[in-house]
Amino acid sequence: MSCIERILTEARDLSRDDLILLVNKLMEGFSHESATSSPKKMIAPRLDCPICHSNAHVVRNGHKHGKQAYICRQCGTSFVTTSNTLLSGSHFGTEIWTKVLEETLRGTSLDKTVKSLASHGCKISHSSLFFMRHKIMLALEDMQVEQPATVEDVVEADETYVPESKKGTKFGPDASRKPRKRGTPASKRGLSDEQICICTAVQRKTGDLIVKSENRARPSSADVVDIYTGHVQKGTLFLTDGMNVYPRLGKILGITVMNVKKESASFFNLNTVNNLHSFIKHRYIEYRGVATKYLNRYNLVFRAAYRQRTTIGELADALFASRNPKKVHHYGDVKELNLLTI
């Protein structure tokens, strides 16, 4: 195999952004002026037209907000490199969005993320960052639909609880309860309708995990069946704390449900899922609470961040490079789409 063939073989594994960077670096050897000195001099790939889906008549058409613009001479459509992607309509580039994704998975609050971005020369408002973060979480929801979480082999399942939160909501005279300061304990002792249940199941060692909320206080057997159906493989050993809603799940899904409290061997424990609960509670404190209506979005962030089986760059490529107009979420979607209403 020649050097050129070997380089081409290795280049196939590079992401789109890395390929563009590689081409620009190669061009530096043929020009005294660096091709990466300005966004306008970046070599951009030819894209398909978002309307007629052809690139035969697509030509470059200047720049818009520092992004390469194109026009399709066949149908007259103008678009930029981020059209029909998660970054559609944003004035910020992939680098800033990747930084927001990184801070989101790290559990950094919005205020601290604003300061972090400002230190890198990017001034962004709290509200703009809020919408960027939630658009990322909506993209994670889309990814969850395409690639559902699945667990198998040995799985530990348990529940954790967080207080109901109406963070960001203005209370009117007809509100169901009076507003309270963050950190105020629930008015009722023990488990009550003031506590939101987060059902969790985590595969031991390097497997996937499931994190989802569907009810207040203790979940019913119907809740548990709805959460885990389609996500737990047949034949799985499902370890629980003995709550009476799980035996029905075992019969429906064809899995073996065992109560660790009735077993003496050290193998039967819930250490992994308890560690996940500690991880969630720590993030919850860092966020200073999460509005209950957005809780399932954050549950997907917890899932992505807990074991982080892909790098930030790989996840960014999967989220930002996908071109699907049905997955372009706007500000209205952030406020209304897939909210948890319980």
Side-chain angles (χ1 to χ4, degrees), residues 9-147:
T9 300
E10 295 179 356
R12 293 191 186 99
D13 297 328
L14 296 177
S15 66
R16 182 175 61 89
D17 289 341
D18 288 339
L19 281 172
I20 295 173
L21 180 61
L22 175 61
V23 173
N24 285 316
K25 289 295 184 181
L26 290 173
M27 291 298 294
E28 289 180 11
F30 301 97
S31 174
H32 295 292
E33 185 177 4
S34 173
T36 58
S37 58
S38 168
K40 294 186 179 182
K41 296 174 183 176
M42 290 289 288
I43 296 176
R46 178 176 290 184
L47 304 178
D48 293 339
C49 173
I51 302 300
C52 64
H53 307 292
S54 171
N55 63 9
H57 302 278
V58 173
V59 295
R60 298 180 191 178
N61 189 36
H63 292 79
K64 185 176 182 180
H65 301 301
K67 303 173 185 177
Q68 177 67 59
Y70 298 87
I71 187 169
C72 178
R73 289 179 174 173
Q74 180 168 296
C75 65
T77 301
S78 297
F79 58 98
V80 295
T81 52
T82 57
S83 296
N84 285 349
T85 70
L86 180 63
L87 281 62
S88 180
S90 175
H91 292 183
F92 299 105
T94 305
E95 183 179 353
I96 299 300
W97 277 86
T98 302
K99 182 66 176 176
V100 174
L101 171 63
E102 182 180 356
E103 297 291 340
T104 299
L105 295 180
R106 190 178 293 170
T108 308
S109 66
L110 290 176
D111 289 337
K112 291 182 179 178
T113 303
V114 168
K115 294 178 181 178
S116 175
L117 291 173
S119 67
H120 288 79
C122 176
K123 293 184 179 180
I124 183 171
S125 67
H126 187 282
S127 60
S128 294
L129 184 61
F130 171 86
F131 283 108
M132 290 176 72
R133 174 167 286 184
H134 278 265
K135 288 177 78 172
I136 287 174
M137 290 191 283
L138 287 173
L140 287 173
E141 286 187 350
D142 292 334
M143 185 178 291
Q144 164 84 344
V145 173
E146 292 180 351
Q147 305 171 11

Side-chain angles (χ1 to χ4, degrees), residues 159 199 210 212 214 219-232 238 243-255 257:
E159 310 77 41
C199 290
I210 302 164
K212 189 176 181 181
E214 196 153 313
S220 66
S221 58
D223 293 330
V224 170
V225 170
D226 184 63
I227 289 171
Y228 294 123
T229 297
H231 300 286
V232 183
F238 209 70
M243 193 165 66
N244 58 9
V245 300
Y246 288 111
R248 182 189 172 200
L249 179 69
K251 295 177 181 179
I252 293 176
L253 301 187
I255 60 178
V257 177

Side-chain angles (χ1 to χ4, degrees), residues 105 140-141 143-151 201 207-212 231 276 279-280 283 296-310 315:
L105 295 180
L140 287 173
E141 286 187 350
M143 185 178 291
Q144 164 84 344
V145 173
E146 292 180 351
Q147 305 171 11
T150 55
V151 292
D208 208 340
L209 58 148
I210 302 164
V211 187
K212 189 176 181 181
H231 300 286
L276 171 61
F279 174 85
I280 292 173
R283 291 296 177 88
N296 271 334
R297 294 182 187 174
Y298 279 92
N299 285 338
L300 289 177
V301 173
F302 300 149
R303 177 201 169 204
Y306 181 62
R307 280 180 172 164
Q308 206 160 324
R309 296 182 296 164
T310 58
L315 184 57

Side-chain angles (χ1 to χ4, degrees), residues 106-107 276-288 302:
R106 190 178 293 170
L276 171 61
H277 293 172
S278 298
F279 174 85
I280 292 173
K281 293 295 181 67
H282 177 77
R283 291 296 177 88
Y284 210 81
I285 293 171
E286 181 67 27
Y287 289 137
R288 296 184 181 180
F302 300 149

Side-chain angles (χ1 to χ4, degrees), residues 151-208:
V151 292
E152 58 185 353
D153 195 18
V154 180
V155 175
E156 299 176 20
D158 200 3
E159 310 77 41
T160 188
Y161 299 87
V162 294
E164 178 206 28
S165 173
K166 293 187 179 292
K167 183 178 180 180
T169 301
K170 292 184 178 180
F171 284 76
D174 300 327
S176 58
R177 64 169 175 82
K178 294 182 179 180
R180 59 171 180 252
K181 292 184 177 180
R182 294 172 194 164
T184 302
S187 60
K188 301 176 183 178
R189 295 179 60 187
L191 287 179
S192 67
D193 58 3
E194 295 182 26
Q195 302 286 335
I196 307 299
C197 175
I198 303 178
C199 290
T200 58
V202 56
Q203 183 176 329
R204 283 188 179 174
K205 297 182 179 180
T206 59
D208 208 340

